């Protein structure tokens, strides 16, 4: 059993690996979107769903922990992650005994140019409200246009490379995860995972992040 935690992931990568990708509950009550998610093997990212799936031997689930907050940080040449306080996926791993697999996709932040939004502006408040109420938020961006036009909503032709690190083994623990001992275990394996993720980035950054303006950074 494996919980594939990713900072940034593509649906194509999940499909290629035959892994169900976790997504927000709203997608499963929205017409058309629900059918799209089911067609591509996606699943609800709620804790009970994750535990149910990972309780079956041989199953794995891909989860983008940073979610909407991390999407708003996307910018060319950067890898900014929301991870420091996100420990729910570690508790799921402890509940099921699933391994944590670090995965990074290089180049995804380079296929669109973000449109800067001033903090505390109307657009910024709208994005925050959308993120809080709906669980997701679409950043403002500009890409490539049709027929060679420089502006549009199509992604720029940039290479996308996804690298997979070694699994971090996590023991199955049946105690109270909110007890002092449980929190200590969650902190321990969260630290091990973050270390493995940083090592994965440093191992490949000189091959696949040549145009980076900064190294991997945990901003929250």
């Amino acid at each position: 059993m494996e919980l594939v935690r990713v900072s940034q992931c593509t649906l194509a990568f999940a499909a290629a690996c035959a892994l169900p990708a976790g997504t927000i509950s709203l997608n499963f009550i929205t017409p058309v979107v629900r059918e799209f998610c089911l067609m591509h093997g996606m699943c609800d990212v709620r804790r009970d769903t994750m535990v149910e799936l990972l309780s079956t031997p041989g199953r794995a689930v891909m989860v983008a922990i940073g979610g909407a907050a991390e999407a708003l940080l996307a910018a060319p040449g950067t890898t900014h992650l929301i991870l420091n306080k996100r420990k729910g996926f570690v508790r799921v791993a402890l509940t099921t005994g699933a391994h944590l697999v670090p995965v990074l996709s290089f180049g995804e932040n380079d296929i669109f140019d973000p449109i800067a939004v001033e903090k505390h502006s109307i657009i910024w408040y709208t994005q925050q409200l959308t993120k809080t109420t709906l669980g997701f938020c679409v950043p403002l961006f500009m890409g490539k246009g049709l027929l060679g036009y420089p502006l549009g909503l199509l992604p720029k032709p940039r290479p996308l490379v996804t690298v997979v690190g070694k699994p971090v083994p996590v023991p199955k623990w049946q105690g109270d995860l909110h007890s002092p001992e449980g929190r200590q275990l969650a902190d321990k394996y969260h630290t091990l995972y973050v270390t493995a993720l940083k090592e994965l980035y440093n191992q490949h950054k000189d091959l696949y992040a040549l145009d980076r303006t900064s190294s991997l950074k945990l901003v929250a």
Side-chain angles (χ1 to χ4, degrees):
M1 299 177 292
E2 295 177 336
L3 179 59
V4 183
R5 186 275 173 205
V6 294
S7 57
Q8 307 153 331
C9 73
T10 62
L11 181 60
F13 176 72
C17 296
L19 295 177
T23 186
I24 59 175
S25 303
L26 178 67
N27 287 334
F28 290 97
I29 61 175
T30 305
V32 181
V33 176
R34 175 181 181 275
E35 281 63 40
F36 177 86
C37 292
L38 294 175
M39 184 192 314
H40 289 86
M42 302 178 79
C43 62
D44 197 320
V45 79
R46 290 181 304 179
R47 173 184 166 80
D48 55 346
T49 304
M50 297 290 99
V51 171
E52 178 68 23
L53 286 171
L54 292 171
S55 294
T56 303
R59 298 298 297 271
V61 180
M62 181 176 293
V63 183
I65 302 300
E70 192 170 283
L72 293 176
L73 299 175
T78 67
T79 305
H80 293 165
L81 308 183
I82 303 292
L83 181 58
N84 286 333
K85 296 182 180 180
R86 304 287 175 101
K87 300 179 182 179
F89 71 102
V90 180
R91 288 192 286 269
V92 169
L94 285 166
T95 300
T96 60
H99 293 183
L100 296 173
V101 183
V103 176
L104 276 172
S105 286
F106 290 92
E108 284 193 338
N109 285 349
D110 300 324
I111 60 177
F112 292 107
D113 292 321
I115 298 176
V117 176
E118 186 178 351
K119 196 171 183 179
H120 302 304
S121 65
I122 294 178
I123 296 177
W124 183 85
Y125 280 116
T126 301
Q127 287 180 328
Q128 300 306 311
L129 179 62
T130 302
K131 182 179 67 175
T132 302
T133 56
L134 300 180
F136 74 94
C137 181
V138 179
L140 298 180
F141 62 89
M142 186 61 67
K144 180 182 177 182
L146 290 171
L147 304 176
Y149 285 101
L151 299 178
L153 298 180
L154 296 177
K156 297 179 180 179
R158 299 287 188 273
L160 299 178
V161 180
T162 300
V163 294
V164 182
K166 295 180 180 179
V168 177
V170 179
K172 186 174 182 178
W173 195 70
Q174 298 180 342
D176 182 4
L177 289 171
H178 296 287
S179 66
E181 184 180 1
R183 289 195 294 269
Q184 186 176 10
L185 275 174
D187 289 342
K188 173 185 175 180
Y189 287 99
H190 182 272
T191 299
L192 289 175
Y193 175 80
V194 170
T195 299
L197 187 66
K198 290 180 177 179
E199 290 177 352
L200 182 66
Y201 176 84
N202 290 329
Q203 180 182 353
H204 296 282
K205 65 182 181 181
D206 291 332
L207 287 174
Y208 307 123
L210 296 176
D211 297 329
R212 65 185 183 276
T213 57
S214 65
S215 292
L216 182 147
K217 182 179 180 181
L218 274 59
V219 297

